[in-house]
Amino acid sequence: MARPEAKLKELKTAELKHEVGARKDLVITTNRSSERRLIAYGDDFLFEKLPVGTRVIYPPPPLEALADPDQAIRYALLHPENADPLFAQLNPNMRVTIAIDDISLPLPPMRRPDIRERLLNQVMQTLADYGVDDVHLIVATSLHRRMTEAEIRRMVGEKAFKQFWPDRLYNFDAENRAELTMMGKTDHGEEVWLSKRAADSDLIIYLNINLVPMDGGHKSVAVGLSPYASLRHHHNPTTLRDSHSFMDPNHSALHRSADRMGRVINSQLNVFTLETAVNNNMYGGMLDFLQKNEDRFTDWDHVRLKGFQWTMRNLSDDLRRQMLRNYASPYGMTGIWAGETEAVHRKALAKVFQQYAVPVKGQADILIVGVPFICPYNVNSIMNPILVQCTGLGYLFNMYRGKPLVREGGTIIVSHPLRDEFHPEHHPSYIEFFHRCLAQTTDAIELADQFEHEFAHNPTYIHMYRYGNAYHGVHPFYMWYWGEPARQHCGRVIAAGCQEPEVAARLGWEAADSLDEAIAMATSEQGRSASITYLHLPPLVIADVE
């Protein structure tokens, strides 16, 4: 039974035991007695001895999760930011559209119940209590692939699935022209298109998960429920070159464009935003050693590591991928806010930075990053070379505020086997992009000018996007553009442990058989005194670089 509103108290969002500025124990420098370090390597982990003097940056410990997330959700709905409580905005004759983040986050998928299921159950109960029955649930996929029936069921839970699927619970279709409407233009001349169902609604409720700072805010509705005609204004190499750090929305041209579009939408429509923050408790149980400083490993941690590595290396590729896909992370909700989009997003961002930010002094000549088996665009799929590039140069390079971890002209070492592997159902246009477009040029501006329009309007790719489970034909271009700031900033990219050097060459990278060889290649140019930083993840960490 629901608790009486008069007795419902605010659940304070979780706090760390130490402040962000006191996290100096998360930045260590290796010496001769230092233990080897775990480094993500696709479907596996390397365990490597790093050169003496290497700076290693660790993620902060997980924030404490809210003890009663359902009560916290109810409180947020009753006490929103700069808005009336949800129940006060309802009447039986209104049309409501609930938009939901897709499975591109969190990564890996979280244990059930998913936060989106918790949010939906509370919102749907409130709507039902006030007689609202014209309700649609739209998975805000934008140009991402359609989620499968099983994926949607797992995400939203049985109650919402049985009540709404498939007529009133469905994936957004960015190519259904009859279901799109133009809301106007921003003061920069950017066209703002939106789902017609959402635009015709009396109330839009957006359910969001913030895994990193680039999630949430106006980006939710203005991107998640919009087609190529809107996204082309900010998902392009010119805009992304000016975005500096994607993890700091205040310095991102992409976010400024999305904010302008969102304000156009919110000026015409009633948007009620719910944003949640989760901690970085990615690994639990027998895998919790993956989140520890290796110098503090116990004998039991070493035994588990050896068992984990033996298991991963003795499984077939298919079985190993299946095991990793089935893993669910024990993330905990650390905060929930509801109401006006910008006010909600400010509070959510503060909590996200509290979880991830680590102060770091100075840049390095060489930055080492390990690319894991998963990114936002290959859930239940394959990490293809374009996505390795997007993750290494687009996301991991940008895990900073202030200045990049690697100096201008420096070298990035990306740890990944880097094979010519693609999921033909999920990423068909990626295959052509890799083998045809990149064979002619790796320059983002040239790729946009020569090929983007063709891929964006290719009827075969549009059909596979609409009726299959393929990412939109233009999507690989966006993934390539994400790496543009890193390509402009860095002098070299070396793929450590690369199994197919021709793949690295196609990306414009150099190949090394091992991490030691990659470091030797980097220091041969930078000099033996070159400074090295290893960004130790997953879980995620954002460096506040002074």
Side-chain angles (χ1 to χ4, degrees):
M1 178 180 293
R3 303 184 187 186
E5 293 179 6
K7 296 183 178 180
L8 192 64
K9 297 181 179 179
E10 180 181 9
L11 290 182
K12 298 294 184 181
T13 53
E15 301 295 334
L16 275 178
K17 295 180 180 179
H18 54 280
E19 295 299 321
V20 171
R23 298 178 180 179
K24 301 186 186 301
D25 60 322
L26 299 175
V27 182
I28 65 102
T29 302
T30 61
N31 55 44
R32 294 187 183 279
S33 62
S34 293
E35 182 57 270
R36 291 180 291 170
R37 305 291 152 175
L38 281 164
I39 302 175
Y41 180 67
D43 298 344
D44 200 355
F45 283 87
L46 304 178
F47 196 41
E48 299 285 337
K49 189 79 170 179
L50 296 176
V52 171
T54 298
R55 179 174 63 179
V56 183
I57 304 171
Y58 285 90
L63 288 168
E64 183 180 355
L66 296 174
D68 190 340
D70 292 322
Q71 180 180 337
I73 294 168
R74 287 193 64 225
Y75 185 91
L77 295 176
L78 291 169
H79 302 84
E81 308 291 328
N82 297 343
D84 291 331
L86 179 60
F87 76 87
Q89 301 187 43
L90 305 178
N91 67 72
N93 299 316
M94 70 189 310
R95 172 181 289 190
V96 175
T97 295
I98 304 174
I100 314 161
D101 274 346
D102 70 1
I103 56 168
S104 58
L105 49 85
L107 303 170
M110 68 191 312
R111 293 179 183 173
R112 299 186 71 178
D114 190 289
I115 286 178
R116 285 157 290 206
E117 177 180 349
R118 292 182 181 275
L119 295 172
L120 268 175
N121 287 345
Q122 299 263 4
V123 169
M124 291 189 306
Q125 186 61 56
T126 303
L127 296 178
D129 289 344
Y130 286 83
V132 181
D133 54 17
D134 186 353
V135 180
H136 280 211
L137 280 56
I138 305 178
V139 182
T141 51
S142 187
L143 304 185
H144 294 179
R145 70 170 176 86
R146 285 161 26 97
M147 288 177 61
T148 66
E149 178 178 340
E151 289 169 339
I152 292 176
R153 182 193 292 269
R154 184 189 187 281
M155 183 177 78
V156 304
E158 291 297 325
K159 182 177 180 181
F161 188 85
K162 290 179 178 178
Q163 182 176 351
F164 292 96
W165 177 267
D167 297 329
R168 294 188 295 148
L169 166 59
Y170 48 87
N171 293 283
F172 172 69
D173 184 350
E175 288 292 343
N176 185 352
R177 305 301 173 85
E179 291 300 322
L180 298 171
T181 188
M182 187 175 176
M183 305 295 295
K185 293 184 179 182
T186 70
D187 55 6
H188 283 56
E190 300 147 320
E191 295 181 0
V192 182
W193 291 81
L194 192 67
S195 154
K196 191 173 187 303
R197 165 69 200 195
D200 291 343
S201 296
D202 300 294
L203 175 64
I204 301 172
I205 303 173
Y206 197 102
L207 310 185
N208 165 266
I209 296 178
N210 280 279
L211 185 66
V212 291
M214 64 184 297
D215 302 325
H218 284 299
K219 185 169 173 279
S220 295
V221 173
V223 173
L225 296 178
S226 295
Y228 173 72
S230 285
L231 268 63
R232 63 189 173 89
H233 293 293
H234 41 66
H235 281 60
N236 62 70
T238 302
T239 300
L240 293 175
R241 280 183 180 180
D242 295 333
S243 289
H244 303 295
S245 172
F246 300 137
M247 299 304 155
D248 189 351
N250 294 326
H251 296 89
S252 169
L254 181 154
H255 282 86
R256 290 194 293 271
S257 176
D259 287 348
R260 290 191 293 268
M261 292 182 174
R263 292 183 186 118
V264 170
I265 294 169
N266 285 28
S267 69
Q268 302 177 49
L269 304 174
N270 184 13
V271 178
F272 189 84
T273 299
L274 282 89
E275 290 199 20
T276 61
V278 297
N279 60 22
N280 65 348
N281 192 21
M282 184 177 291
Y283 299 113
M286 290 292 288
L287 294 179
D288 61 7
F289 66 90
L290 293 172
Q291 299 187 167
K292 296 178 64 174
N293 182 328
E294 292 85 349
D295 291 326
R296 300 171 187 166
F297 269 21
T298 64
D299 290 341
W300 176 229
D301 292 329
H302 282 286
V303 168
R304 289 188 292 167
L305 171 59
K306 289 180 180 178
F308 175 71
Q309 289 183 310
W310 184 91
T311 301
M312 299 301 288
R313 291 171 183 173
N314 284 276
L315 292 174
S316 67
D317 289 347
D318 287 342
L319 283 176
R320 183 167 58 252
R321 284 176 178 152
Q322 189 62 42
M323 185 180 77
L324 291 170
R325 290 170 187 168
N326 289 336
Y327 177 77
S329 296
Y331 295 113
M333 183 195 295
T334 58
I336 164 71
W337 303 269
E340 186 267 320
T341 302
E342 294 186 11
V344 165
H345 193 50
R346 282 193 294 270
K347 293 202 169 186
L349 276 182
K351 181 56 59 179
V352 171
F353 282 122
Q354 184 191 9
Q355 173 62 88
Y356 295 120
V358 173
V360 176
K361 290 186 177 180
Q363 297 174 297
D365 298 308
I366 301 167
L367 174 64
I368 301 172
V369 294
V371 173
F373 71 96
I374 195 170
C375 79
Y377 316 109
N378 78 317
V379 177
N380 298 323
S381 190
I382 294 173
M383 179 73 92
N384 65 59
I386 305 302
L387 294 179
V388 174
Q389 177 271 161
C390 173
T391 305
L393 302 190
Y395 282 97
L396 303 187
F397 166 81
N398 279 286
M399 287 292 175
Y400 72 88
R401 287 190 296 181
K403 296 184 291 186
L405 272 167
V406 62
R407 67 167 176 80
E408 188 172 0
T411 299
I412 298 181
I413 296 175
V414 177
S415 168
H416 194 275
L418 205 58
R419 296 185 289 261
D420 184 355
E421 294 180 304
F422 293 84
H423 194 298
E425 181 183 354
H426 292 168
H427 302 116
S429 65
Y430 280 65
I431 300 171
E432 183 180 2
F433 177 85
F434 179 77
H435 288 284
R436 175 187 163 212
C437 301
L438 290 185
Q440 299 183 45
T441 180
T442 58
D443 183 273
I445 299 292
E446 293 180 5
L447 288 166
D449 290 343
Q450 294 181 33
F451 301 109
E452 181 182 313
H453 184 272
E454 172 194 341
F455 276 64
H457 300 284
N458 182 302
T460 299
Y461 293 143
I462 289 174
H463 183 87
M464 297 177 78
Y465 161 81
R466 295 195 66 191
Y467 303 108
N469 296 101
Y471 281 82
H472 194 278
V474 80
H475 202 261
F477 289 83
Y478 292 171
M479 298 301 94
W480 191 256
Y481 302 159
W482 282 124
E484 189 62 10
R487 280 190 292 274
Q488 296 297 313
H489 181 83
C490 299
R492 301 171 76 185
V493 181
I494 302 172
C498 177
Q499 296 180 4
E500 299 182 17
E502 63 274 15
V503 175
R506 181 60 54 88
L507 299 177
W509 299 0
E510 301 171 59
D513 291 336
S514 65
L515 181 63
D516 285 342
E517 181 182 338
I519 293 173
M521 291 168 60
T523 54
S524 68
E525 177 182 340
Q526 304 283 354
R528 296 185 63 182
S529 61
S531 57
I532 303 174
T533 290
Y534 167 44
L535 192 62
H536 196 295
L537 43 77
L540 298 176
V541 53
I542 297 174
D544 279 337
V545 183
E546 296 181 11

